[in-house]
Amino acid sequence: MTPTLTTPHTTPAAPELAPREQETLRHIAAGHTYLQTARHMGLSKHTVDAYLRRIRAKLNVNNTAEMTRIAITLGL
């Protein structure tokens, strides 16, 4: 039997995210709610939601679990 090589799943680089997007991702990955994140960052929850929509688009992910996995991989 010949071993097959597979290409590892590549994770997008952190520089694609703006600093505030990285901070938002860090809070959400830590299990904070949108409201908790907003209060800690001094933003409205609508702004946090907008950041998360941009993060999902930039990283091409669909849910919080995927965002959390990427945040952990990136060391956020």
Side-chain angles (χ1 to χ4, degrees):
M1 177 192 272
T2 307
T4 57
L5 298 175
T6 58
T7 321
H9 177 69
T10 57
T11 303
E16 292 183 19
L17 299 178
R20 291 294 266 183
E21 291 170 343
Q22 288 183 26
E23 184 179 357
T24 303
L25 179 56
R26 189 172 27 256
H27 284 284
I28 295 301
H32 299 138
T33 66
Y34 285 27
L35 187 57
Q36 289 170 331
T37 300
R39 286 182 178 160
H40 189 268
M41 294 176 67
L43 304 170
S44 76
K45 72 177 191 171
H46 300 290
T47 303
V48 170
D49 184 52
Y51 281 154
L52 292 172
R53 281 194 309 264
R54 284 190 292 213
I55 291 167
R56 285 187 189 98
K58 286 180 179 183
L59 300 179
N60 195 28
V61 297
N62 298 316
N63 58 50
T64 304
E66 288 178 283
M67 283 193 308
T68 300
R69 181 188 58 78
I70 290 172
I72 291 168
T73 302
L74 295 174
L76 297 177

